Amino acid sequence: MDNHTIKTVFKEYIHPLDAKVIQKMIDYAQIDKYVKKLDVLTFVNAFIYAQLKGLDNLKRISDTIKRKKTVQRLVGIESISKSQLSRKNREIPPEIFQTILHHLIQKLHQILGPKMADKALGALHLIDSSTISMCLSQYEWADFRDTKSGVKMHTSIIFCDGISYPNKLILTPARPADETQLDALIVPDKNVLHVFDRGYFNFTKFATYCANGIRFVTRIKTNTLVHIIEELAVDPSSPITRHAVVKIGKMKHPVQLVETVDSEGNEIRIICNDAKVNAREISDLYRNRWQIELFFKWVKQHLVIKKWYGKSENAVYNQLYIAMITFCLTLLMKVKLGYRGTLLEMLNWIRDDWTKPMAMFISEVFKEPDRSSSGRRRPEHERIFEETLAQYEIGDVFHLDDLLYDPII
């Protein structure tokens, strides 16, 4: 980094994108071969900024670039029309952004991977899909009901100790059933435990997973045929009402069956193909599946995916991928700084202070609370702040590269 340059929050925020890696992909695909103004890198910066600031239409993006010098310096252009933004969004293949997202997920794996696995149970992968509805007359390519269109985000997230981040994301029109994407979301790793709901129920797939040592926990349907092999003891003080070894349907592999009740008193029947997991753990694992619902809720509430920048399939998929890229960049900033607040708080800090130098930003994020009492313990935020800044000069120049990011080959 140039020692005479103040590194801004936004520049540090987008640093994990690795412009050189993206440029190699662009050059290989020859996407920007005859482009003079709005190249892919400029487009990425502009639309990540739009996600951060909640700009939900192309006119707002165009007007913001035209009016604000700071945004112009950020994206590298002084003005751009709504039609040019729309055309570029429609023309860029979604695979470009899919690859960028995968690259960021690999960075998260490197940083969080060792922390995201239980020693006994292994890594916990939660699988589900979320449908985003759209108007049928404008998005006919994504029809799934008589009066509606929609797209599905088929997603696998990794969850542990309150932290979750996407592992795989597959975008399709809403019509195909969830189970059609299950094989693509499953990780063929014996150290991974997959959790998913009844939308993915398929005896053939389950038999294949059992044969290949792929572990899973799921809820069975009410009409599932269950053959009892052995009844197991149940702790009367636990919420478990039944624990047994069974075979379901025509499957040859035995699985564990756990019956419990939800918060409303409804019976839930859960199966697990790992004999080493106890009944209480199986129940708790399935309850953790709710974390992926919270993940979808967070993304829909705090990122721009309800109003679309374009009507084509490419435009919709590109917007969803850039939203998930924004999620990963925010989590990377939060984890790297050691910020103990929520992800939304981190996002709001970045939104408000995106033009500030990193040194000033970190000082504000870890600022000591105004109120204090005598004899209190040393606040945790003070320790984190001092450790973060200990090796670096806090003046006109702030060096964060060595602390935040390691190069990925």
Side-chain angles (χ1 to χ4, degrees):
M1 184 178 69
D2 187 346
N3 287 343
H4 300 288
T5 302
I6 299 175
K7 196 163 192 177
T8 64
V9 172
F10 190 85
K11 187 175 180 181
E12 191 66 43
Y13 180 74
I14 64 173
H15 185 87
L17 292 174
D18 287 342
K20 292 181 180 179
V21 174
I22 298 174
Q23 191 60 55
K24 286 181 180 179
M25 289 191 299
I26 295 167
D27 293 343
Y28 179 79
Q30 296 187 334
I31 296 172
D32 288 338
K33 190 173 183 180
Y34 300 106
V35 174
K36 296 181 179 179
K37 189 172 185 180
L38 185 61
D39 57 31
V40 173
L41 283 172
T42 301
F43 179 91
V44 170
N45 289 344
F47 278 78
I48 288 176
Y49 172 80
Q51 285 287 340
L52 276 179
K53 306 299 285 187
L55 306 181
D56 58 6
N57 62 71
L58 297 179
K59 188 176 187 308
R60 289 185 65 191
I61 299 174
S62 175
D63 290 347
T64 301
I65 293 174
K66 185 177 181 180
R67 293 196 315 266
K68 296 188 176 182
K69 296 289 187 183
T70 52
V71 182
Q72 292 173 10
R73 289 194 294 270
L74 162 71
V75 300
I77 51 177
E78 294 183 357
S79 65
I80 194 73
S81 69
K82 173 184 171 181
S83 60
Q84 287 174 300
L85 291 172
S86 178
R87 189 183 311 113
K88 193 71 174 182
N89 193 28
R90 185 173 61 249
E91 292 175 351
I92 299 177
E95 290 77 14
I96 294 292
F97 299 112
Q98 185 181 28
T99 303
I100 294 172
L101 176 62
H102 178 74
H103 180 67
L104 294 178
I105 289 172
Q106 292 306 308
K107 285 180 176 282
L108 285 167
H109 281 329
Q110 287 189 338
I111 299 167
L112 293 174
K115 305 175 184 178
M116 299 293 280
D118 183 278
K119 291 182 179 179
L121 299 177
L124 185 61
H125 289 208
L126 311 179
I127 295 173
D128 204 352
S129 73
S130 182
T131 300
I132 304 173
S133 298
M134 301 182 297
C135 176
L136 177 60
S137 63
Q138 297 184 18
Y139 301 90
E140 293 183 358
W141 57 268
D143 71 297
F144 77 105
R145 291 182 183 170
D146 293 339
T147 58
K148 284 187 178 181
S149 292
V151 293
K152 269 186 182 178
M153 298 192 298
H154 303 270
T155 311
S156 167
I157 70 169
I158 301 177
F159 172 75
C160 185
D161 292 335
I163 300 176
S164 59
Y165 65 91
N167 181 55
K168 290 186 178 181
L169 175 68
I170 301 170
L171 302 178
T172 69
R175 185 178 291 277
D178 289 354
E179 68 176 76
T180 60
Q181 302 301 321
L182 182 57
D183 288 343
L185 295 173
I186 290 290
V187 177
D189 184 343
K190 295 181 180 180
N191 293 320
V192 172
L193 185 55
H194 306 84
V195 182
F196 43 86
D197 67 6
R198 291 178 295 183
Y200 297 91
F201 199 86
N202 185 300
F203 289 122
T204 303
K205 292 182 184 296
F206 293 171
T208 301
Y209 300 157
C210 290
N212 294 332
I214 296 173
R215 303 184 301 148
F216 65 87
V217 173
T218 189
R219 185 177 174 184
I220 62 175
K221 297 181 178 180
T222 54
N223 62 348
T224 303
L225 187 62
V226 176
H227 305 277
I228 304 297
I229 298 175
E230 180 184 2
E231 293 283 358
L232 302 175
V234 174
D235 182 355
S237 64
S238 75
I240 309 299
T241 58
R242 187 181 193 182
H243 185 202
V245 177
V246 304
K247 288 184 179 180
I248 59 172
K250 297 181 180 180
M251 283 181 59
K252 297 179 181 180
H253 299 85
V255 295
Q256 293 193 72
L257 171 68
V258 170
E259 293 182 1
T260 183
V261 293
D262 61 18
S263 58
E264 298 178 354
N266 301 314
E267 183 184 75
I268 298 176
R269 297 197 299 170
I270 309 164
I271 61 168
C272 175
N273 69 338
D274 187 347
K276 297 179 181 179
V277 183
N278 65 47
R280 184 59 182 266
E281 288 172 335
I282 293 172
S283 176
D284 291 342
L285 284 167
Y286 191 78
R287 292 180 194 277
N288 279 332
R289 197 198 66 81
W290 184 249
Q291 294 296 327
I292 195 168
E293 303 289 354
L294 298 179
F295 170 82
F296 287 136
K297 182 179 180 181
W298 195 99
V299 170
K300 289 180 177 180
Q301 285 184 342
H302 305 301
L303 299 174
V304 183
I305 61 173
K306 289 185 178 179
K307 294 185 178 180
W308 302 104
Y309 297 136
K311 298 178 182 179
S312 69
E313 187 172 2
N314 273 15
V316 170
Y317 287 177
N318 285 343
Q319 184 173 341
L320 288 171
Y321 279 126
I322 291 175
M324 297 307 300
I325 287 169
T326 304
F327 177 93
C328 290
L329 289 174
T330 305
L331 181 56
L332 278 166
M333 181 75 94
K334 177 181 183 296
V335 172
K336 289 296 190 176
L337 293 182
Y339 181 66
R340 299 298 177 87
T342 66
L343 188 64
L344 178 58
E345 290 171 344
M346 185 79 264
L347 180 63
N348 287 334
W349 274 113
I350 297 166
R351 280 174 170 166
D352 293 341
D353 296 347
W354 67 280
T355 60
K356 293 183 179 180
M358 276 301 297
M360 184 183 299
F361 176 74
I362 291 181
S363 298
E364 292 182 1
V365 168
F366 294 102
K367 183 180 179 181
E368 181 180 354
D370 294 334
R371 296 180 61 184
S372 61
S373 59
S374 59
R376 64 182 175 89
R377 293 178 60 188
R378 184 184 184 215
E380 182 71 5
H381 72 273
E382 289 183 3
R383 181 188 63 78
I384 299 172
F385 174 64
E386 291 179 6
E387 290 179 358
T388 303
L389 299 183
Q391 305 175 55
Y392 302 93
E393 177 183 357
I394 306 181
D396 291 338
V397 181
F398 188 74
H399 302 283
L400 238 120
D401 284 356
D402 296 336
L403 172 66
L404 293 187
Y405 303 107
D406 295 322
I408 290 182
I409 299 175

